[in-house]
Each structure stands twice: as C-alpha cells, then as structure tokens.
Amino acid sequence: MKITDLLKLDTIIIDLQSVTKQAVIDELSGKLAEADRLNDVEGFKAAILKREEQSTTGIGEGIAIPHAKTDAVRIPAICFGKSVSGVDYESLDGQPAHLFFMIAASEGANADHLETLSRLSSLLMDDKFRARLISASSGEEVLEIINQKEMEAYEEEEQSSNGDSGNNKGGKILAVTACPTGIAHTYMAADALKAKAKEMGIDFKVETNGSTGIKNGLTAAEIDEADAIIVAADKQVEMDRFNGKHVIIVPVAHGIRKTEELLTRAVNQDAPVYKGTGNDKSDEGDSAKGGLGIYKHLMNGVSNMLPFVVGGGILIALSFFFGIEAADPANPEYNPIAKALSDIGGGNGAFFLLIPVLAGFIASSIADRPGFAPGMVGGLLAAQANAGFLGGLIAGFLAGYVVLLLRKLFSKLPQTLDGIKPVLLYPVFGMLITGFIMIFLINEPVTAINTGLTNWLQGLSGTNAIFLGLILGGMMAVDMGGPLNKAAFTFGIAAIEASSFGPHAAVMAGGMVPPLGIAFATTFFKSKFSEMERKSGFTNYFMGASFITEGAIPFAAADPLRVIVSSVVGAATAGALSMAFSVTLPAPHGGIFVIPLVNHPFRYLLAILIGALITALILGFWKKKQK
C-alpha cells in the first residue's frame, strides 16, 4: 500500500489558517471528519490530545505528526496541512512547525495500513523532501512529490539489501526504537540513527517495536557481537537479552534529535553495563540517572492504583443508592446488592488493594520486577497497620531502593548464581529487610501521622475546609496536568482512602474550571478571540464536562499570564465553594459522569459554574480585542 492510498486530495489543506497547536489539531481533525474518515471527531481529538500528553509530536525541523490509533477512526487516513508562517507546536527544537501530517489509524488497522503510515515518518527525515513539500502550491503537487519520494525509497531499500551494512568503523552498534503508539516516532528515530550511522561509517542495525510488532529483530548472535546497544524508547521493550552489554537508555525523541551524540557514546562504550533481572527495563541506564526520578516512580504507583480507586469508589458510591447504611446487615436499610457492591469495591475488595498496589508499582518502577513483591508486602504491612497512603508511599520507595542496594551487593556473587537472584535472593531479602523496617521503624509513627491526618480531614469545617478547597482547586489549574495538578489529585485520593470525600470533590471541581472558563470566554467575548480560537473554545465545553483540564493548555501556551491567572482564580473559587457547600464525592473521577454520585449535585454544579464564569470574566475583560 502506498502513502497516497491514505492521503487524498480531500484530506489536504494547502494553506492552514490555524495559529495555535490546539487550532491545528481542530482544523486537521475537522478536515478528516469532513472527508468522512472519522466516526467521532471529538473522540478522535481526545485521542490525539492524550498522545500529546505523553510527549509532543512536534518532532522539530518544521514537522509535526499528531497521531492516534482509536475506534473513533472509520477509515485509516492521513491529513496533510501546510503553514507557511509556521505554528508554535511545542516542538522538540523549539522552532515553529510548517508541515503537519495528522495520522488517523483505526483500532483494527491492518499491518499494511500501519506500515504505510510508518513509512511516511521515515521519508520525512529527508531535508530535500521536506523542502519540496513546503514549496508545493497545490494538493496535486503534494501527492506527486510523495509518490516520487516513495519510489526513490523503494529503490534505495533494494540497493541497500544487496550491499553491506557498513565498514565496521567503531565496532558493531545495535539499537531498539519504540514509542507508545508505534506509528511515527519509532520509525523516525530508527531512520535518523541509520542515516547518521551510515554517515559516520558505523556498522549498525536497528530493531523497531511498532504497531505491527517487532521488525528487523536483533538476534542473539548480533547482540553477542555488539559493542553497545542504544535503546531509544518511551515504552517497555525486552531488555534481559542485553545482559552484560553497554546499554544507553534514552527517550525515543533523543533517537531523532541526538543521533550523533548517541552513536558517539555507543562507539566509545560510554554507558553502564546492563545487568539483566528478568524484567523489561534497566535501573542502571540513563533513565535512572537523569530525570525520571521520584515523580516518575510516584506516578507509576498512582497510575496503576487508579483503576482500583476509580472502580472501587464508584461501586461503593453505587451501594449508597440503596441507602447510606444499606450495606450493613444490622441496619434496617440492609440490602444484599448494596453489601455486594460495598464488598467488591470497599475494604474487602478493590480498596483493600490500594496501598499494596501503590507500593508495589512504585518499587517496580525503581528496581524493576524484583522490587514488585517486596513493595507489595511492604504496602500490605502499611495497610494492616493503618499507616494509610503515606505508609504505602514510604513502603514503595523503601522496597525499591532496598532491592537496588541488594543488586549492587549481589553483583559480587559468582555469575553461576545469576539465575537464582530474581526468583530467590531478591524477593527473600527484599521482603525481609523491607518488612522488618516497616514493622519496627515505619508503621507506628506513620500510623500516628495518618490518624492525625484522618482526624484533621474529617474534622475540617468552616474556614479551614474552605481554605483547603481554595488551595486544591487552584493547584489543579496552575500547570493543567503537570506536577502540581497531579499533586492535588494524589492528595484527593489520599483523602478518599482516609474516608474523607470532600477534598477530592474540590479537586475535581478545580480541574473542570479552566476548559469550561475558556469555553465561556470564547462564547461571551467573541471579539477578543480569533475565529479558530472560538472554534477551539467550543470544544472546551466537552473537555471541561469530561474533566479534561488539558483542553486549556493551547490557550495557556499562547497567552500564559492571562489564561493561567484567570484559570487559577476561577478553579480556586470552585474548590472553595465545593468545600463551603459540604459537597462530597466518593468516586475519584470528575466530569458530568460522577455528578449523580455527589451528595449535593446542584450545589456542586453551581460551584463549578461560578468558578468557570469567574475565569471567563477575568479572561474576557483582560484580553485585548483582536485586530
């Protein structure tokens, strides 16, 4: 299948009108919807934005490739857009993007479709090809340029398959590339590394872990002969096979942007020696050195805990429909269905697992699979001692770093014992040390702290409660999905675990305000926004109603001072009002879907609407009229 089987004249915009990232996504998505390639344009845009949250698809060199694989796509397609003036797309090199290829892959896209989409990503690494596209003046010319380039690529592949792989300068270097979607960045990183390796005269091979599976897989013999391996990946890849080799572990974007640096490091073996542990990631590579850090480990625990929190919380909330005490067999309201719902979601079911799961996945993020069992056990001990969320956090980090220490200590043992380390030595000593520290040092003081926090939360009233809601709501709007936003969200979950449901209601209200406030502003103050901003603003009604705070990010990027300040004021107001109205929310999620589960739905809606209107008014009066 050719690229032009997916890119047609009716999905080409030769002169994009958009001036912001969000507007580009809206305009390209609209073109795909207009061409009848989508089942659900809003669902598709939500999938595109979710992919953007993982890392920007503005890859630099004037290119952006927003992409998603979702059942919102009816027919796999590519939408091309060109902006001569350029758009700030948060690109990796900080430069404006001029060429946009929006890739729409259906959930059931076949291998031919996915390989064709991947081939496009590879072709875009050619400077001359990009220059010709920028100078194209019609859709027909764009298609002709792509067809010609694709034919040239086929010829080059045939020639390279009949030639050698390099002159072996600097030894044999291998690489693996992978990104979450497996459509664009995976192949762009692979091609960028291949091209630079050829230029540098390096004997090189790269394996891609894309949507269609592993291609050009590395063999055991090749790995054995390799001097170093580059793993440019944003998702887990098989790592144990690299045991004993110098391995450089970096994000997939580095494979596109820092090719020469990575290859030079590989040739010089400037990388730690990977020690296989029966898991998918190294704790001793670049990722552990550089910057994934405590926040990454915490979010790994929280994200894996969330399904238990959300599922359990909603099931418990559903049990309340039969009566607040309907799950208690001794109460006249008793209902067996309510008790079943409470047991499945509550302390005997999903909620029982919250702290162990949190601790287990924090520990596994730090120390890979060997950290999981000690983390789970440490978390369970914390839960049984009523050390709560804080105890689980400590248990997770403790277990992870204990196992890292054990790995260093056991590295001095004979190599013949490597096989028993992950199944015997790490779990036994990891559980033993973590368990002893939790029981004799951690649990008692942390339980006292947790009890104090629980009593404080449950005793909050009046000014104290309102002030807490003010802070939590405002935090949700400061960075809209960033660390402060996540910190407030995590605090709300901890409050739920402590059976205090007010703080999380404030958190959810604060998260809904920024997109709703912007939607109101673009509706009531039309003269202050461009036509594309008004269109983008309309989609924020749906995003705000669905608790997608990130819908406000493009507006904040274009006008940070006005948008962020007005959003924080409105979100803080909504959070404060939620607490003042004594609203409780037992389900740790937001949006209109959980409004029926709050104790005072009309008061809650009022708090959110007041916060959103305050944001709209501040932003509307503060912004200048469009010229």
Side-chain angles (χ1 to χ4, degrees):
M1 176 178 285
K2 297 190 300 180
I3 293 171
T4 48
D5 290 330
L6 299 175
L7 175 64
K8 300 291 187 180
L9 278 175
D10 61 351
T11 58
I12 293 176
I13 305 175
I14 205 66
D15 184 16
L16 277 170
Q17 300 301 302
S18 303
V19 294
T20 66
K21 179 175 180 177
Q22 179 64 56
V24 167
I25 292 172
D26 289 341
E27 189 172 354
L28 294 175
S29 300
K31 188 69 172 176
L32 286 169
E34 183 185 313
D36 201 24
R37 304 299 201 277
L38 304 178
N39 295 317
D40 176 7
V41 65
E42 294 302 328
F44 176 69
K45 283 194 283 189
I48 289 285
L49 291 171
K50 185 176 181 180
R51 171 63 186 87
E52 293 293 331
E53 289 175 18
Q54 295 170 333
S55 61
T56 180
T57 57
I59 60 169
E61 307 295 343
I63 308 167
I65 310 182
H67 56 276
K69 186 179 178 185
T70 168
D71 57 10
V73 174
R74 191 174 76 85
I75 301 173
I78 300 169
C79 184
F80 170 80
K82 185 183 70 166
S83 171
V84 176
S85 58
V87 176
D88 180 4
Y89 203 86
E90 302 170 7
S91 299
L92 294 173
D93 60 1
Q95 298 301 310
H98 298 272
L99 297 175
F100 301 88
F101 286 88
M102 177 171 277
I103 296 175
S106 59
E107 198 63 62
N110 60 38
D112 285 344
H113 287 142
L114 294 171
E115 286 185 9
T116 304
L117 296 171
S118 304
R119 193 182 318 123
L120 169 65
S121 304
S122 301
L123 299 184
L124 286 170
M125 299 311 295
D126 186 320
D127 296 342
K128 294 179 180 178
F129 176 56
R130 297 197 302 269
R132 292 184 64 197
L133 287 174
I134 289 175
S135 64
S137 58
S138 67
E140 289 84 357
E141 189 176 355
V142 168
L143 296 176
E144 183 182 346
I145 291 168
I146 291 174
N147 269 327
Q148 183 178 343
K149 178 61 181 175
E150 199 166 15
M151 290 299 297
E152 293 173 2
Y154 279 131
E155 292 174 4
E156 288 175 5
E157 284 179 17
E158 290 179 4
Q159 291 174 2
S160 62
S161 64
N162 296 325
D164 58 39
S165 58
N167 59 15
N168 207 31
K169 176 183 178 181
K172 177 78 173 181
I173 306 300
L174 304 178
V176 178
T177 62
C179 68
T181 311
I183 295 174
H185 290 63
T186 299
Y187 301 95
M188 299 185 80
D191 284 327
L193 287 165
K194 277 193 293 187
K196 182 56 70 172
K198 183 176 180 181
E199 179 185 318
M200 296 172 68
I202 296 172
D203 190 359
F204 180 80
K205 179 180 177 180
V206 59
E207 168 189 296
T208 55
N209 286 225
S211 292
T212 56
I214 294 173
K215 294 294 177 67
N216 205 31
L218 305 178
T219 67
E222 288 169 336
I223 294 170
D224 186 56
E225 295 173 1
D227 292 323
I229 294 100
I230 299 167
V231 178
D234 287 339
K235 70 174 185 177
Q236 289 188 343
V237 298
E238 184 187 345
M239 293 293 294
D240 271 351
R241 52 189 168 154
F242 303 140
N243 183 43
K245 291 292 181 180
H246 292 277
V247 180
I248 301 169
I249 304 175
V250 295
V252 69
H254 288 201
I256 301 172
R257 305 295 308 163
K258 300 183 178 182
T259 51
E260 185 170 0
E261 175 187 327
L262 292 175
L263 289 165
T264 301
R265 284 184 59 192
V267 168
N268 295 332
Q269 295 188 323
D270 177 16
V273 174
Y274 182 80
K275 292 180 173 60
T277 61
N279 192 34
D280 291 333
K281 284 192 176 181
S282 167
D283 59 280
E284 298 178 271
D286 290 10
S287 60
K289 289 185 198 174
L292 296 180
I294 291 174
Y295 178 72
K296 175 255 185 184
H297 303 317
L298 173 62
M299 284 302 106
N300 191 61
V302 170
S303 64
N304 282 286
M305 180 186 70
L306 274 181
F308 297 89
V309 182
V310 174
I314 290 177
L315 290 174
I316 293 170
L318 289 174
S319 75
F320 294 155
F321 282 123
F322 295 90
I324 297 301
E325 304 294 337
D328 182 2
N331 193 284
E333 291 184 328
Y334 173 70
N335 183 293
I337 301 299
K339 184 176 187 329
L341 288 169
S342 180
D343 286 345
I344 296 168
N348 296 322
F351 266 41
F352 174 78
L353 295 170
L354 295 187
I355 304 304
V357 168
L358 172 71
F361 279 98
I362 288 174
S364 66
S365 177
I366 295 168
D368 301 323
R369 190 176 299 171
F372 186 71
M376 284 285 288
V377 171
L380 180 61
L381 292 171
Q384 290 174 335
N386 293 318
F389 198 79
L390 181 58
L393 292 177
I394 294 172
F397 283 101
L398 172 65
Y401 289 112
V402 162
V403 173
L404 282 188
L405 177 61
L406 291 173
R407 291 172 73 169
K408 291 187 182 297
L409 294 175
F410 292 153
S411 66
K412 304 181 187 302
L413 294 177
Q415 195 169 358
T416 53
L417 297 178
D418 282 354
I420 67 169
K421 289 179 184 177
V423 295
L424 176 63
L425 299 182
Y426 296 141
V428 169
F429 286 96
M431 289 181 194
L432 179 67
I433 296 171
T434 301
F436 266 61
I437 294 175
M438 291 299 298
I439 291 171
F440 293 110
L441 294 177
I442 303 296
N443 279 347
E444 186 173 344
V446 174
T447 298
I449 294 171
N450 188 61
T451 301
L453 176 63
T454 300
N455 292 336
W456 176 69
L457 286 170
Q458 292 177 341
L460 277 176
S461 62
T463 304
N464 290 335
I466 293 171
F467 183 71
L468 178 62
L470 185 88
I471 297 299
L472 292 174
M475 287 174 67
M476 291 297 289
V478 172
D479 52 1
M480 304 177 191
L484 283 174
N485 175 285
K486 293 295 190 294
F489 188 82
T490 303
F491 182 89
I493 293 174
I496 287 178
E497 196 273 335
S499 300
S500 179
F501 303 125
H504 211 69
V507 167
M508 297 298 101
M512 294 172 69
V513 163
L516 287 175
I518 286 170
F520 284 139
T522 56
T523 300
F524 300 146
F525 300 92
K526 293 182 179 180
S527 62
K528 303 292 184 76
F529 298 91
S530 68
E531 182 180 353
M532 289 307 302
E533 285 176 328
R534 292 196 295 272
K535 290 179 180 178
S536 299
F538 182 76
T539 65
N540 273 276
Y541 281 114
F542 302 98
M543 291 187 177
S546 304
F547 186 60
I548 303 176
T549 311
E550 290 82 355
I553 288 177
F555 289 86
D559 190 0
L561 179 62
R562 294 183 179 90
V563 172
I564 291 175
V565 169
S566 58
S567 294
V568 169
V569 173
T573 302
L577 287 173
S578 176
M579 293 293 277
F581 292 159
S582 301
V583 176
T584 59
L585 174 61
H589 195 54
I592 57 174
F593 320 105
V594 298
I595 296 292
L597 302 180
V598 303
N599 59 336
H600 301 300
F602 293 109
R603 294 184 193 177
Y604 196 44
L605 283 171
L606 182 62
I608 294 167
L609 288 173
I610 289 174
L613 287 171
I614 287 174
T615 293
L617 290 170
I618 294 174
L619 183 58
F621 285 117
W622 196 353
K623 280 185 72 71
K624 297 178 181 178
K625 286 188 177 182
Q626 292 284 307
K627 294 179 180 180

